[in-house]
């Protein structure tokens, strides 16, 4: 094992460990990492000596901060297509994780955003800690939640998922549990003990029981106390109406959410809301990933993605100049383009998975 590899693989007992190993980049995913993880899962699935897979992130800061958006920015500016190839394989990996036949244990410690959610929250045993900060931050960079994020958020109770998608807010352990993004809270200081005990597990049932034994109640979160205004305000049919309800709710936290939303890309906001609503009507993760591939490929060709990454990551002036700059300028036709079929460039996961289910 080369300790400089961006994905480290090793086996302890009957547990196959996958460690994302770019700590200086907060373990951000690139194409090579996605392909290596996919290969590792294929190997683990075929290996009868492997009982479960455990995915973690190197360093102390988090599992994964998302995809390598600087590379996506550069690719988009250059008029390339590498990012679309990356997403094709990344979304297929997300679907593989969701369908993986053995326990897939994700340690969602620290920062888990965007693509980090994609390689963890589709697993069947998802562990958060007091350090967890989980988010789908795409609207802040002129993008739309992907990696199955609209599938996860559309399934959250009430309108919690809409709130998180539009504001791009990060949540802690308790709120991640409430939203269905995680399953168990384990204090960070006991993760090493959990990992050691998992190595001794000889069956899926033992893996699940071991995680449950280490889990304790999570500290109180924030979203549960805000459910009333969140469910009421975000149930509206348009971003403009949501903002109006938030502004006129009389709740300071709701008004603050409106201000947060207004700083995001107007186009990304409208496409995100449409994507969430459409996701609720789709009957599989694969169908949602197909839809997300369409929205991602279209966003890649639009100016807001390059501008959003420039403002947040490249120049770091935090002053994006969105185009168009106002919600009123984003038409229904503009939004519809993001969902238009891609012809022979379709991801095609829904058909492929249905054929093998």
């Amino acid at each position: 094992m080369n300790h400089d590899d961006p994905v480290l693989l090793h086996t302890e007992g009957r547990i196959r460990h996958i460690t994302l190993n770019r700590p200086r980049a907060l373990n951000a995913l690139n194409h090579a990492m996605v392909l290596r993880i996919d290969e590792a899962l294929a190997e683990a699935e075929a290996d009868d000596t492997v009982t479960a897979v455990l995915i973690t992130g190197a360093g102390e800061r988090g599992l994964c901060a998302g995809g390598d958006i600087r590379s996506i920015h550069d690719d988009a500016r250059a008029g390339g297509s590498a990012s679309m190839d990356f997403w094709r394989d990344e979304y297929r990996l997300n679907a593989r994780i969701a369908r993986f036949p053995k326990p897939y244990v994700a340690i969602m410690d620290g920062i888990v955003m965007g693509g980090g959610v994609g390689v963890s929250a589709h697993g069947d045993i998802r562990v958060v800690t007091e350090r967890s900060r989980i988010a789908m931050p795409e609207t802040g960079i002129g993008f739309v939640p992907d990696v199955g994020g609209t599938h996860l958020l559309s399934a959250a109770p009430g309108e919690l998922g809409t709130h998180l998608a539009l504001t791009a807010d990060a949540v802690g352990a308790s709120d991640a549990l409430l939203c269905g993004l995680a399953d168990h809270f384990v204090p960070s200081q006991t993760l090493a003990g959990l990992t050691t005990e998992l190595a001794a597990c000889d069956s899926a049932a033992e893996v699940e029981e071991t995680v449950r034994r280490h889990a304790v109640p999570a500290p109180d979160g924030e979203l549960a106390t805000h459910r009333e205004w969140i469910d009421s305000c975000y149930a509206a049919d348009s971003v403009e109406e949501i903002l109006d309800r938030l502004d006129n709710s009389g709740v300071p936290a709701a008004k603050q959410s409106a201000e947060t939303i207004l700083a995001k890309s107007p186009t990304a906001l409208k496409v995100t809301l449409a994507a969430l609503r459409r996701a609720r009507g789709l009957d599989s993760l694969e169908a949602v990933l197909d839809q997300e591939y369409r929205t991602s490929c279209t966003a890649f060709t639009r100016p807001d993605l390059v501008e959003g990454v420039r403002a947040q990551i490249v120049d770091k002036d935090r002053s994006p100049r969105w185009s168009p700059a106002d919600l009123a300028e984003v038409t229904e036709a503009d939004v519809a383009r993001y969902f238009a079929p891609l012809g022979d460039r379709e991801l095609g996961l829904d058909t492929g998975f249905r054929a093998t289910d």
Side-chain angles (χ1 to χ4, degrees):
M1 180 172 63
N2 184 345
H3 291 281
D4 293 327
D5 287 345
V7 177
L8 302 179
L9 304 173
H10 74 281
T11 301
E12 287 185 34
R14 298 184 66 181
I15 307 300
R16 190 62 166 160
H17 288 245
I18 300 174
T19 304
L20 307 183
N21 188 40
R22 295 181 68 205
R24 291 183 180 178
L26 251 171
N27 301 318
L29 293 171
N30 57 33
H31 201 163
M33 292 170 72
V34 163
L35 293 175
R36 189 67 189 103
I37 297 167
D38 189 74
E39 181 183 9
L41 290 181
E43 293 169 354
E45 182 174 344
D47 188 343
D48 290 340
T49 69
V50 173
T51 295
V53 167
L54 175 69
I55 187 165
T56 59
E60 298 294 321
R61 297 169 62 200
L63 171 66
C64 175
D68 190 342
I69 59 174
R70 179 65 180 263
S71 296
I72 293 171
H73 165 274
D74 294 347
D75 187 31
R77 283 196 65 187
S81 61
S83 297
M84 290 179 275
D85 294 335
F86 165 63
W87 288 325
R88 180 177 293 276
D89 287 325
E90 184 182 26
Y91 300 173
R92 288 183 176 277
L93 173 61
N94 302 145
R96 178 189 281 276
I97 290 168
R99 302 294 188 197
F100 196 65
K102 300 176 181 181
Y104 181 98
V105 184
I107 305 298
M108 302 170 73
D109 186 32
I111 293 174
V112 185
M113 296 184 178
V117 173
V119 296
S120 57
H122 297 301
D124 49 358
I125 302 177
R126 305 163 300 173
V127 175
V128 284
T129 75
E130 76 283 355
R131 303 187 297 205
S132 296
R133 299 297 296 167
I134 300 168
M136 295 300 294
E138 287 77 11
T139 56
I141 57 167
F143 199 50
V144 180
D146 65 336
V147 298
T150 59
H151 175 77
L152 294 164
L153 293 175
S154 67
E159 294 293 337
L160 292 175
T162 311
H163 170 68
L164 295 183
L166 297 184
T167 62
D169 283 351
V171 296
S174 182
D175 290 334
L177 294 165
L178 173 64
C179 292
L181 300 174
D183 304 298
H184 303 285
F185 174 79
V186 175
S188 60
Q189 66 265 27
T190 67
L191 288 176
L194 170 61
T195 301
T196 299
E197 288 190 34
L198 285 173
C201 293
D202 289 323
S203 68
E206 283 187 57
V207 169
E208 294 171 4
E209 176 55 32
T210 299
V211 175
R212 289 182 186 278
R213 193 168 62 250
H214 280 262
V216 298
D220 289 343
E222 300 176 9
L223 291 181
T225 61
H226 298 310
R227 279 294 301 278
E228 185 175 355
W229 65 262
I230 286 175
D231 288 352
S232 174
C233 295
Y234 289 96
D237 293 329
S238 69
V239 177
E240 290 92 336
E241 177 61 21
I242 287 171
L243 289 168
D244 186 62
R245 292 187 187 186
L246 290 170
D247 271 330
N248 294 301
S249 67
V251 179
K255 191 170 183 63
Q256 178 59 53
S257 291
E259 294 173 4
T260 298
I261 292 169
L262 280 169
K264 313 305 181 189
S265 158
T267 301
L269 289 170
K270 287 199 171 183
V271 176
T272 294
L273 182 63
L276 287 168
R277 299 294 192 252
R278 288 171 178 242
R280 286 179 178 170
L282 298 174
D283 61 2
S284 69
L285 169 62
E286 290 77 23
V288 176
L289 287 164
D290 284 348
Q291 172 176 279
E292 289 178 349
Y293 190 70
R294 296 179 196 119
T295 60
S296 295
C297 288
T298 304
F300 183 74
T301 67
R302 307 302 301 155
D304 276 4
L305 176 58
V306 168
E307 174 61 13
V309 178
R310 179 207 65 77
Q312 298 296 333
I313 304 298
V314 181
D315 297 335
K316 299 181 180 179
D317 58 28
R318 308 290 192 269
S319 299
R321 296 179 290 275
W322 304 122
S323 178
D326 298 311
L327 284 163
E329 298 178 63
V330 182
T331 67
E332 291 185 11
D334 292 333
V335 173
R337 288 190 192 99
Y338 282 74
F339 300 92
L342 299 174
D344 60 5
R345 295 189 298 119
E346 285 281 0
L347 183 59
L349 266 182
D350 192 35
T351 300
F353 270 79
R354 287 179 184 281
T356 58
D357 274 353

